[in-house]
Amino acid sequence: MLDLHTHILPAIDDGAVDTEMSLEMLRKEREHGVKRIYLTPHFDPYAMDVDTFLELRQKSFDTLKNALGEEEWPEMRLGAEVKYSPELLDMSPEKLTLGGSDYLLLELSFHHYPAHLDQVVGELDGMGITPILAHVERYSYFRKESALLVNAINNGALAQINVEPLTDKNDKGFASACIDHSLAHFIGTDAHNLTSRAPNMNELGSHVSEIQLSRLKKFSDMLWENEAPPHIRPTLVQKGLFRYK
Ligand SMILES: [Fe+2]
């Protein structure tokens, strides 16, 4: 399995506080069978410019690489969890893609549907960049109105969900339905530390069906090989009386 979304790089954001913690997180990922990892520290275009971020990220990665030693590790590639802003289009977004691919991990506002989202997604698509919306289950407006997510995907976005909601029987419905309705294509741990938000890919297998797992794997392979996304027809998720459908 591939972990698309992690905060394992040391001392760069609110993830791993030092190299020791990064190494322990990587050991957990390895124990959980994760073979490929994107390292995706937060990038906030309002906080710093892209080149400064890339320098800091490289420094952090160099520190981690120096500490890896002889153990066998998952394959790692650099990426970023990019905070949404329409100004992003003027900030060389191609420099922020996942491992230099044509895919960019994009974090939206949690409570307010982002202004101009469909236009920005469309323009990124026109630049040859496919935005992957990070942990879509966390945005209240998508839960309330899945048509908004359908639009974003129809405009060229793909979407990622975290493992965590799938493991919570009270919360699993929406995230699980997103996989079934082609409203979520990728899975990530969004791991930040070893306690409250630890790597948890080991929990995925027992909380999704074989079909869901194989869909997620197919998209993961496509991303790692930087292949073009398949034509996708997402469908609306509706909340029934007892479950999502
Ligand atoms: Fe994250």
mmCIF file of all heavy atoms in Angstrom, residues 136-164:
data_model
loop_
_atom_site.group_PDB
_atom_site.id
_atom_site.type_symbol
_atom_site.label_atom_id
_atom_site.label_comp_id
_atom_site.label_asym_id
_atom_site.label_seq_id
_atom_site.Cartn_x
_atom_site.Cartn_y
_atom_site.Cartn_z
ATOM 1 N N VAL A 136 -11.140 14.432 2.201
ATOM 2 C CA VAL A 136 -12.419 15.077 1.879
ATOM 3 C C VAL A 136 -13.509 14.812 2.922
ATOM 4 O O VAL A 136 -14.485 15.556 3.012
ATOM 5 C CB VAL A 136 -12.952 14.688 0.483
ATOM 6 C CG1 VAL A 136 -12.188 15.396 -0.607
ATOM 7 C CG2 VAL A 136 -12.960 13.200 0.273
ATOM 8 N N GLU A 137 -13.328 13.742 3.713
ATOM 9 C CA GLU A 137 -14.355 13.463 4.740
ATOM 10 C C GLU A 137 -14.347 14.512 5.852
ATOM 11 O O GLU A 137 -15.280 14.574 6.650
ATOM 12 C CB GLU A 137 -14.137 12.054 5.330
ATOM 13 C CG GLU A 137 -13.051 11.943 6.393
ATOM 14 C CD GLU A 137 -11.634 11.958 5.820
ATOM 15 O OE1 GLU A 137 -11.478 11.963 4.585
ATOM 16 O OE2 GLU A 137 -10.670 11.974 6.626
ATOM 17 N N ARG A 138 -13.303 15.345 5.893
ATOM 18 C CA ARG A 138 -13.213 16.309 6.990
ATOM 19 C C ARG A 138 -13.907 17.637 6.680
ATOM 20 O O ARG A 138 -13.985 18.511 7.546
ATOM 21 C CB ARG A 138 -11.741 16.565 7.344
ATOM 22 C CG ARG A 138 -11.073 15.329 7.899
ATOM 23 C CD ARG A 138 -9.649 15.589 8.325
ATOM 24 N NE ARG A 138 -9.572 16.458 9.493
ATOM 25 C CZ ARG A 138 -8.423 16.890 10.006
ATOM 26 N NH1 ARG A 138 -7.283 16.535 9.463
ATOM 27 N NH2 ARG A 138 -8.421 17.680 11.063
ATOM 28 N N TYR A 139 -14.380 17.795 5.469
ATOM 29 C CA TYR A 139 -14.989 19.080 5.113
ATOM 30 C C TYR A 139 -16.504 18.999 5.285
ATOM 31 O O TYR A 139 -17.179 18.232 4.591
ATOM 32 C CB TYR A 139 -14.631 19.454 3.672
ATOM 33 C CG TYR A 139 -13.143 19.403 3.403
ATOM 34 C CD1 TYR A 139 -12.622 18.714 2.310
ATOM 35 C CD2 TYR A 139 -12.243 20.033 4.263
ATOM 36 C CE1 TYR A 139 -11.255 18.661 2.072
ATOM 37 C CE2 TYR A 139 -10.873 19.981 4.030
ATOM 38 C CZ TYR A 139 -10.396 19.297 2.935
ATOM 39 O OH TYR A 139 -9.041 19.245 2.714
ATOM 40 N N SER A 140 -17.030 19.836 6.172
ATOM 41 C CA SER A 140 -18.454 19.746 6.510
ATOM 42 C C SER A 140 -19.351 19.992 5.293
ATOM 43 O O SER A 140 -20.401 19.357 5.143
ATOM 44 C CB SER A 140 -18.780 20.751 7.617
ATOM 45 O OG SER A 140 -18.324 22.026 7.239
ATOM 46 N N TYR A 141 -18.921 20.874 4.396
ATOM 47 C CA TYR A 141 -19.801 21.220 3.259
ATOM 48 C C TYR A 141 -19.905 20.057 2.268
ATOM 49 O O TYR A 141 -20.940 19.914 1.621
ATOM 50 C CB TYR A 141 -19.305 22.502 2.547
ATOM 51 C CG TYR A 141 -17.803 22.577 2.386
ATOM 52 C CD1 TYR A 141 -17.175 22.055 1.272
ATOM 53 C CD2 TYR A 141 -17.011 23.165 3.380
ATOM 54 C CE1 TYR A 141 -15.801 22.112 1.140
ATOM 55 C CE2 TYR A 141 -15.636 23.226 3.250
ATOM 56 C CZ TYR A 141 -15.033 22.698 2.135
ATOM 57 O OH TYR A 141 -13.671 22.749 2.000
ATOM 58 N N PHE A 142 -18.872 19.229 2.154
ATOM 59 C CA PHE A 142 -18.982 18.059 1.272
ATOM 60 C C PHE A 142 -19.900 17.010 1.892
ATOM 61 O O PHE A 142 -20.623 16.310 1.195
ATOM 62 C CB PHE A 142 -17.616 17.439 0.984
ATOM 63 C CG PHE A 142 -16.769 18.217 0.007
ATOM 64 C CD1 PHE A 142 -15.383 18.097 0.022
ATOM 65 C CD2 PHE A 142 -17.344 19.053 -0.938
ATOM 66 C CE1 PHE A 142 -14.594 18.800 -0.884
ATOM 67 C CE2 PHE A 142 -16.558 19.763 -1.850
ATOM 68 C CZ PHE A 142 -15.172 19.638 -1.808
ATOM 69 N N ARG A 143 -19.835 16.896 3.211
ATOM 70 C CA ARG A 143 -20.722 15.944 3.891
ATOM 71 C C ARG A 143 -22.179 16.365 3.718
ATOM 72 O O ARG A 143 -23.057 15.547 3.520
ATOM 73 C CB ARG A 143 -20.399 15.880 5.384
ATOM 74 C CG ARG A 143 -19.195 15.033 5.694
ATOM 75 C CD ARG A 143 -18.951 15.043 7.197
ATOM 76 N NE ARG A 143 -17.803 14.241 7.531
ATOM 77 C CZ ARG A 143 -17.865 13.014 8.034
ATOM 78 N NH1 ARG A 143 -19.020 12.453 8.273
ATOM 79 N NH2 ARG A 143 -16.765 12.352 8.303
ATOM 80 N N LYS A 144 -22.404 17.684 3.834
ATOM 81 C CA LYS A 144 -23.778 18.173 3.710
ATOM 82 C C LYS A 144 -24.272 18.087 2.285
ATOM 83 O O LYS A 144 -25.438 17.828 2.027
ATOM 84 C CB LYS A 144 -23.819 19.649 4.152
ATOM 85 C CG LYS A 144 -24.192 19.802 5.611
ATOM 86 C CD LYS A 144 -24.455 21.261 5.941
ATOM 87 C CE LYS A 144 -23.899 21.563 7.328
ATOM 88 N NZ LYS A 144 -23.215 22.817 7.434
ATOM 89 N N GLU A 145 -23.376 18.345 1.345
ATOM 90 C CA GLU A 145 -23.808 18.439 -0.050
ATOM 91 C C GLU A 145 -22.752 17.796 -0.942
ATOM 92 O O GLU A 145 -21.824 18.474 -1.398
ATOM 93 C CB GLU A 145 -23.974 19.930 -0.389
ATOM 94 C CG GLU A 145 -24.927 20.163 -1.506
ATOM 95 C CD GLU A 145 -25.073 21.655 -1.799
ATOM 96 O OE1 GLU A 145 -24.831 22.494 -0.903
ATOM 97 O OE2 GLU A 145 -25.429 21.965 -2.953
ATOM 98 N N SER A 146 -22.917 16.512 -1.176
ATOM 99 C CA SER A 146 -21.871 15.810 -1.940
ATOM 100 C C SER A 146 -21.830 16.275 -3.394
ATOM 101 O O SER A 146 -20.856 16.029 -4.099
ATOM 102 C CB SER A 146 -22.041 14.300 -1.840
ATOM 103 O OG SER A 146 -23.199 13.870 -2.521
ATOM 104 N N ALA A 147 -22.870 16.999 -3.839
ATOM 105 C CA ALA A 147 -22.848 17.540 -5.209
ATOM 106 C C ALA A 147 -21.651 18.475 -5.402
ATOM 107 O O ALA A 147 -21.107 18.582 -6.508
ATOM 108 C CB ALA A 147 -24.150 18.281 -5.498
ATOM 109 N N LEU A 148 -21.226 19.150 -4.337
ATOM 110 C CA LEU A 148 -20.072 20.050 -4.435
ATOM 111 C C LEU A 148 -18.801 19.257 -4.745
ATOM 112 O O LEU A 148 -17.931 19.700 -5.503
ATOM 113 C CB LEU A 148 -19.886 20.837 -3.128
ATOM 114 C CG LEU A 148 -21.022 21.792 -2.759
ATOM 115 C CD1 LEU A 148 -20.813 22.364 -1.360
ATOM 116 C CD2 LEU A 148 -21.110 22.926 -3.790
ATOM 117 N N LEU A 149 -18.707 18.081 -4.143
ATOM 118 C CA LEU A 149 -17.546 17.223 -4.389
ATOM 119 C C LEU A 149 -17.636 16.598 -5.789
ATOM 120 O O LEU A 149 -16.631 16.493 -6.501
ATOM 121 C CB LEU A 149 -17.472 16.145 -3.292
ATOM 122 C CG LEU A 149 -16.293 15.179 -3.315
ATOM 123 C CD1 LEU A 149 -14.955 15.909 -3.400
ATOM 124 C CD2 LEU A 149 -16.324 14.294 -2.059
ATOM 125 N N VAL A 150 -18.835 16.219 -6.172
ATOM 126 C CA VAL A 150 -19.042 15.696 -7.526
ATOM 127 C C VAL A 150 -18.572 16.737 -8.550
ATOM 128 O O VAL A 150 -17.840 16.420 -9.494
ATOM 129 C CB VAL A 150 -20.533 15.334 -7.763
ATOM 130 C CG1 VAL A 150 -20.802 15.055 -9.239
ATOM 131 C CG2 VAL A 150 -20.934 14.127 -6.931
ATOM 132 N N ASN A 151 -18.939 18.007 -8.338
ATOM 133 C CA ASN A 151 -18.528 19.081 -9.263
ATOM 134 C C ASN A 151 -17.019 19.183 -9.345
ATOM 135 O O ASN A 151 -16.453 19.313 -10.425
ATOM 136 C CB ASN A 151 -19.038 20.449 -8.780
ATOM 137 C CG ASN A 151 -20.485 20.638 -9.123
ATOM 138 O OD1 ASN A 151 -21.044 19.860 -9.888
ATOM 139 N ND2 ASN A 151 -21.094 21.659 -8.550
ATOM 140 N N ALA A 152 -16.374 19.190 -8.169
ATOM 141 C CA ALA A 152 -14.908 19.340 -8.139
ATOM 142 C C ALA A 152 -14.261 18.211 -8.938
ATOM 143 O O ALA A 152 -13.310 18.436 -9.704
ATOM 144 C CB ALA A 152 -14.405 19.349 -6.698
ATOM 145 N N ILE A 153 -14.777 17.011 -8.785
ATOM 146 C CA ILE A 153 -14.189 15.864 -9.493
ATOM 147 C C ILE A 153 -14.501 15.953 -10.989
ATOM 148 O O ILE A 153 -13.637 15.700 -11.828
ATOM 149 C CB ILE A 153 -14.660 14.546 -8.853
ATOM 150 C CG1 ILE A 153 -14.018 14.445 -7.459
ATOM 151 C CG2 ILE A 153 -14.287 13.344 -9.716
ATOM 152 C CD1 ILE A 153 -14.565 13.368 -6.592
ATOM 153 N N ASN A 154 -15.703 16.373 -11.306
ATOM 154 C CA ASN A 154 -16.034 16.547 -12.724
ATOM 155 C C ASN A 154 -15.182 17.631 -13.375
ATOM 156 O O ASN A 154 -14.962 17.623 -14.578
ATOM 157 C CB ASN A 154 -17.519 16.872 -12.896
ATOM 158 C CG ASN A 154 -18.376 15.621 -12.790
ATOM 159 O OD1 ASN A 154 -17.901 14.513 -13.054
ATOM 160 N ND2 ASN A 154 -19.626 15.783 -12.383
ATOM 161 N N ASN A 155 -14.687 18.571 -12.545
ATOM 162 C CA ASN A 155 -13.833 19.631 -13.083
ATOM 163 C C ASN A 155 -12.369 19.224 -13.169
ATOM 164 O O ASN A 155 -11.529 20.002 -13.595
ATOM 165 C CB ASN A 155 -13.949 20.892 -12.227
ATOM 166 C CG ASN A 155 -15.170 21.680 -12.613
ATOM 167 O OD1 ASN A 155 -15.479 21.822 -13.791
ATOM 168 N ND2 ASN A 155 -15.882 22.167 -11.625
ATOM 169 N N GLY A 156 -12.050 18.043 -12.673
ATOM 170 C CA GLY A 156 -10.663 17.571 -12.834
ATOM 171 C C GLY A 156 -9.950 17.197 -11.553
ATOM 172 O O GLY A 156 -8.770 16.846 -11.594
ATOM 173 N N ALA A 157 -10.632 17.287 -10.404
ATOM 174 C CA ALA A 157 -9.959 16.919 -9.148
ATOM 175 C C ALA A 157 -10.115 15.425 -8.868
ATOM 176 O O ALA A 157 -10.999 14.765 -9.412
ATOM 177 C CB ALA A 157 -10.551 17.717 -7.991
ATOM 178 N N LEU A 158 -9.234 14.903 -8.025
ATOM 179 C CA LEU A 158 -9.423 13.592 -7.418
ATOM 180 C C LEU A 158 -9.462 13.844 -5.907
ATOM 181 O O LEU A 158 -9.323 14.984 -5.468
ATOM 182 C CB LEU A 158 -8.286 12.641 -7.801
ATOM 183 C CG LEU A 158 -8.220 12.255 -9.291
ATOM 184 C CD1 LEU A 158 -6.993 11.383 -9.550
ATOM 185 C CD2 LEU A 158 -9.481 11.524 -9.715
ATOM 186 N N ALA A 159 -9.671 12.797 -5.128
ATOM 187 C CA ALA A 159 -9.844 13.031 -3.696
ATOM 188 C C ALA A 159 -9.207 11.922 -2.864
ATOM 189 O O ALA A 159 -9.111 10.775 -3.311
ATOM 190 C CB ALA A 159 -11.332 13.141 -3.375
ATOM 191 N N GLN A 160 -8.798 12.312 -1.667
ATOM 192 C CA GLN A 160 -8.174 11.370 -0.724
ATOM 193 C C GLN A 160 -8.988 11.345 0.555
ATOM 194 O O GLN A 160 -9.546 12.371 0.958
ATOM 195 C CB GLN A 160 -6.735 11.854 -0.442
ATOM 196 C CG GLN A 160 -5.971 11.073 0.625
ATOM 197 C CD GLN A 160 -5.776 11.863 1.900
ATOM 198 O OE1 GLN A 160 -5.496 13.056 1.849
ATOM 199 N NE2 GLN A 160 -5.936 11.217 3.047
ATOM 200 N N ILE A 161 -9.064 10.171 1.187
ATOM 201 C CA ILE A 161 -9.649 10.086 2.531
ATOM 202 C C ILE A 161 -8.598 9.541 3.482
ATOM 203 O O ILE A 161 -7.664 8.849 3.072
ATOM 204 C CB ILE A 161 -10.908 9.181 2.598
ATOM 205 C CG1 ILE A 161 -10.644 7.859 1.880
ATOM 206 C CG2 ILE A 161 -12.128 9.880 2.045
ATOM 207 C CD1 ILE A 161 -11.739 6.841 2.111
ATOM 208 N N ASN A 162 -8.776 9.846 4.755
ATOM 209 C CA ASN A 162 -7.885 9.304 5.780
ATOM 210 C C ASN A 162 -8.360 7.918 6.205
ATOM 211 O O ASN A 162 -9.555 7.596 6.078
ATOM 212 C CB ASN A 162 -7.864 10.224 7.006
ATOM 213 C CG ASN A 162 -7.055 11.493 6.766
ATOM 214 O OD1 ASN A 162 -6.398 11.638 5.731
ATOM 215 N ND2 ASN A 162 -7.103 12.405 7.714
ATOM 216 N N VAL A 163 -7.450 7.143 6.749
ATOM 217 C CA VAL A 163 -7.812 5.812 7.270
ATOM 218 C C VAL A 163 -8.757 5.960 8.456
ATOM 219 O O VAL A 163 -9.716 5.194 8.622
ATOM 220 C CB VAL A 163 -6.539 5.037 7.719
ATOM 221 C CG1 VAL A 163 -6.922 3.713 8.374
ATOM 222 C CG2 VAL A 163 -5.599 4.804 6.538
ATOM 223 N N GLU A 164 -8.497 6.948 9.277
ATOM 224 C CA GLU A 164 -9.174 7.068 10.569
ATOM 225 C C GLU A 164 -10.710 6.990 10.514
ATOM 226 O O GLU A 164 -11.306 6.212 11.265
ATOM 227 C CB GLU A 164 -8.732 8.357 11.256
ATOM 228 C CG GLU A 164 -9.118 8.376 12.709
ATOM 229 C CD GLU A 164 -8.929 9.758 13.319
ATOM 230 O OE1 GLU A 164 -8.475 10.667 12.599
ATOM 231 O OE2 GLU A 164 -9.285 9.911 14.486
#
